[in-house]
Amino acid sequence: MIRQLVEYNWQVRADWMKWCEELPYEELIKERSGGMKTILHNLYHVVYCEHIWVSQLLSIDVNLQPIEKIQTLQHVREFEELTKERTLLWFDQEASFREAVLDLRGRQFSHTKVMMHIATHEVHHIGQLSVWSREIGRVPVNCDLLPRDVEFI
């Protein structure tokens, strides 16, 4: 079920990226209240967090750009592709991680719990995008799970 939630997030994120293409650049980088302060940085942040967590689960180097260097939607998309590759790698090996734990400063978390955190973390930041879209007079992306092409077995 975790994979389906992550795939749902990817679909919604792709819709938001497309939605952003119609915005003037000034709206993408305009400082706002809440979230990561800008639409662009909110999108980067959800990818950034997925990247950090999955990289730690896979025990591979984190490959990040400071948020201040993210200036375009294309930067986010490129980083998202790298991150998706890593996330899919984790899913390819998921069975071998069933009993695995991540030790984080003396606290231990199962891989499953970390992946659930990734899935739920994105949801509240995407909600912030919906609020901001209304504030600028635009219709937000429909984030409803039911009509989306994600099968839960």
Side-chain angles (χ1 to χ4, degrees):
M1 182 156 101
I2 298 169
R3 185 177 185 136
Q4 290 88 349
L5 289 172
V6 170
E7 288 173 355
Y8 158 80
N9 283 344
W10 290 347
Q11 286 180 16
V12 171
R13 190 187 312 156
D15 288 351
W16 276 108
M17 296 271 199
K18 186 168 178 55
W19 182 92
C20 286
E21 290 172 359
E22 299 173 14
L23 287 182
Y25 181 71
E26 295 73 31
E27 288 292 343
L28 277 178
I29 61 169
K30 181 179 178 182
E31 189 162 322
R32 301 172 193 285
S33 177
M36 297 306 294
K37 302 294 184 197
T38 73
I39 292 170
L40 184 67
H41 287 168
N42 234 41
L43 286 169
Y44 177 71
H45 175 74
V46 294
V47 178
Y48 174 98
C49 290
E50 179 180 331
H51 184 90
I52 288 174
W53 285 109
V54 169
S55 296
Q56 288 181 76
L57 295 178
L58 293 170
S59 298
I60 57 179
D61 288 339
V62 174
N63 184 8
L64 299 176
Q65 289 288 324
I67 201 165
E68 300 79 25
K69 291 194 176 195
I70 303 304
Q71 299 296 319
T72 68
L73 207 50
Q74 187 58 32
H75 286 139
V76 178
R77 283 189 168 119
E78 290 168 3
F79 186 54
E80 178 186 40
E81 285 307 309
L82 170 67
T83 299
K84 277 185 179 180
E85 289 174 15
R86 290 182 180 202
T87 303
L88 288 170
L89 180 62
W90 186 88
F91 282 121
D92 288 345
Q93 301 174 35
E94 182 178 5
S96 66
F97 293 130
R98 293 237 187 263
E99 303 299 321
V101 295
L102 175 65
D103 186 38
L104 190 63
R105 294 181 290 248
R107 293 188 66 195
Q108 294 188 337
F109 303 99
S110 72
H111 278 223
T112 301
K113 187 170 186 177
V114 171
M115 291 303 288
M116 288 299 290
H117 171 73
I118 290 169
T120 60
H121 170 258
E122 185 153 347
V123 171
H124 80 264
H125 285 290
I126 294 304
Q128 183 67 58
L129 294 176
S130 294
V131 170
W132 289 340
S133 71
R134 296 280 189 209
E135 288 176 354
I136 62 176
R138 300 211 176 216
V139 176
V141 166
N142 182 349
C143 299
D144 190 348
L145 174 70
L146 292 176
R148 291 197 172 265
D149 186 24
V150 178
E151 291 299 321
F152 289 85
I153 301 170

